[in-house]
Amino acid sequence: MSHHNVSTSLPELYLDNNATTQVLPQAAKAALTTMQTQFGNPSSSHITGLQAKSVMDEARKLAKLTIGASTGDVIFTSGATEGIQTAIISALCAAKKSMVAGKEYCLLYGATEHKAVPESLKHWNELLEVNAQIKAIPVDHTGALDMEFIANEVPNALMICTMAVNNETGVFQDISQLDNTIRQHNPDVFWMVDCVQALGKMNLKISQTTIDYAPFSGHKLYAPKGIGFAYIKHGAPFTPFIAGGGQESGLRSGTENLPGMAALSVIFKMLLGQSEDKFVSVEQQYGFRQQLVDALTQAFPTVVFNHQFENSVPTTLNFSIPGFSSKEIMDLFDAANIRVSSGSACSSKVTRSFVLDAMGHEAWQSESAIRLSFGPAMSQDEINMACQRVALCAKALGHSCLMTDNGVDAAALDGLVQFKVGGSCSWLLVDKASSSAVIIDPLPELVERFNTLLGCQGLTLLAVLDTHGHADHESCRTELATRFLPQQTSDYLGWPVEMPSVTVAGQTYQYIALGQQWLVKLATPGHTQDSISFLACKPVVDGDNVLTVNYGFCGDTILLGSLGRTNFDTSCADAMFDSLQLLYRVVGANTLICASHDYNNEFTTTIGAEMTRNPLLAQVLTRCITREEFVADKATLDAHIVDQSGSEIVCGAFVGQCDGQMVKEYANDTLTGAMTSDTPARVIDIREPHEYELGHDERFDCNVPLTRLVQFIQEQQHDKEQPLILVCRSGSRSHIAAKAMARLGFNNVGHIHGGYAQVQCAG
Ligand code: PLP
């Protein structure tokens, strides 16, 4: 743990056993002893070698007993991925010999299989020139394989790969039913069952099946990484994946991983009941699961479990909480020192779960999925602690007003909040003193979040506004207005009728008074005919001949790195030319522009910053091209818009660089120096308030969540030289935010590389 005080120091609860496990102390000890005293090479014929060989022989004997393999071979591998290669190469090399020209063959795998399986099938199918068609076997809503599909397809299959237990959901397959279906329709097909998540979680009697190959992995059950084993049925064809010195009877060459085997033996003995150390019984595991389910349901009443418990091992729970992405729940749990995972840890860049998609779950479930997994070494104390911790997490959400009615006083909002969904933004402008707020460009995904937030903060909504009729997404303006402003009459973009107006420098503006700020309306047609901008500015007093604008909400007129496209039916590049010049006149070069899109995580911009990277905008504003030239250039640009994400309509052609900013990276050693130098750096925790509340380093006394970054930038505009160091959970949010600030001229902004994970590990 950290040598600095973390304000709430909760012990780590590791609930991600399906990704990997801690090595059990007894297993670690066995590995260490083997390294130190039984270090021999099992192939050597001297006594040291013979002693090493006995370690290996014992491990093999115990492995066979554990998986119920009274016949067949067990070889030791580096892990399951190697076992999978071995099985696939063995099966395909043998199958190739018996292929008949002109016949169509297939390779079958379960749709919810770990990626190691389909990827290896694809790889070796090509490399070995088998060229069979690779087909995914569908699963039903419960995750069970489609037996009819198998019955129809398996007669033409060279190999079929299924899994005993799914790593994301814990769903197990009915092996004996599978066995019957496969063999009834093809007695000769090679069958691999990935048993990685089954070891120690269910009874395996492998010799009672016709499984040809079964890979296992040590690190999923308390042995170290780098050791695994594979079962090969007696008589099943075999081709070594690793050739060489002929170890493992020539089946797998290379000097054996004896420490790994010794550790595995300790686990096998525990599973076989041959050890004083005991795992908890399966009944207890069911009890643990029920306790966790109850705690989650109580803390998050809307929680949805993404699998049925009847066909799942008790050690895995996969759930989604409506309104929260996987990332948000991960961040929350991590802040409470509970380690869980989103989707599959092996493909953590993916924000949705292909397993849940294959089961036909709704998109939101897949995007919000959280996997919580424990193992048979779990204790009652840890489960109790986990349940308390889950309750604490739910409570913490109250600090961000993401959940209400949980007895938590949320910090009162004041100023600007930015919400993002994909590449789109919504903005909430709050005046704390008058408890009033305005929402701009509300995204439909955020309806419930706005609802909870307004209620939790006790805010009165003055208007819900759209900057234009959005082509790429629906606005939830009407829904919010109906709920919160039933009495208000407004135009179709939400501007209330009969608002007061003010004239500044010959231009008359209508405005909404929001406490000590005015939201002024300005027509800025171009992107669409109806495009308007809202300018949050100081109230105008007699004699003012300029507006003092804090934020410009320009919709899609000026985007980050681009201009709004003008090739829609209601677009007009000609009008945009005037709107750009008008905006520049009114808001100037340095006012923060709050756009309705942020495709590249830049949060906000200024016209000045845009001019340095958007030549067309610069030409318009410095009046060095004509209106006709602008219209022609704009048409060319728009013709090249490519949709980035397939489903999302991109609202402007990106012209600017976004990734060139260098920000300073801090680590433990450089951080202290920076904080105690002559111009001490301010360290800013940019996680959400609920994460901050659950625990933070006491030296980082300022919390600016990403949703409030734009306001922070606005308030910090006067001093761009102040050294700032941003910190988050993993260093990813802080890096994005630091780059965004650096782009706007903050010259001394950096972040902690690796985030809290790195700061806490030291010491
Ligand atoms: N198969 C399944 C079901 C898994 O869960 C994993 C690991 O996540 C693997 C295979 C790969 O195992 P290893 O890490 O030992 O290569």
Side-chain angles (χ1 to χ4, degrees), residues 282-298:
V282 175
E283 284 66 38
Q284 274 175 293
Q285 294 173 25
Y286 279 109
F288 289 171
R289 176 171 73 184
Q290 193 54 50
Q291 237 186 297
L292 288 167
V293 167
D294 291 344
L296 283 164
T297 313
Q298 194 168 16

Side-chain angles (χ1 to χ4, degrees), residues 73 90 94 190-191 210-213 231-239:
D73 285 316
S90 297
F190 299 118
W191 182 22
T210 67
I211 295 169
D212 294 289
Y213 310 97
Y231 160 83
I232 302 122
K233 187 174 76 182
H234 179 70
F238 194 88
T239 299

Side-chain angles (χ1 to χ4, degrees), residues 17-20 77-85 112-117 163-168 192 194-198 215-220 225-229 344-346 371:
N17 283 233
N18 288 7
T20 194
T77 62
S78 60
T81 304
E82 184 191 324
I84 291 166
Q85 312 307 304
T112 58
E113 221 69 16
H114 187 277
K115 283 289 171 217
V117 173
M163 72 200 310
V165 175
N166 183 270
N167 48 305
E168 287 191 32
M192 179 187 85
D194 175 344
C195 288
V196 171
Q197 300 289 351
F216 293 85
S217 184
H219 74 99
K220 307 282 182 179
K225 288 150 195 70
I227 185 78
F229 61 102
S344 169
C346 305
R371 176 185 73 186

Side-chain angles (χ1 to χ4, degrees), residues 589-593 604-611 717 743-744:
N590 298 319
T591 296
L592 294 186
I593 299 295
T604 184
T605 192
T606 62
I607 293 182
E610 289 307 308
M611 284 169 78
Q717 289 258 58
R743 193 180 69 79
L744 295 177

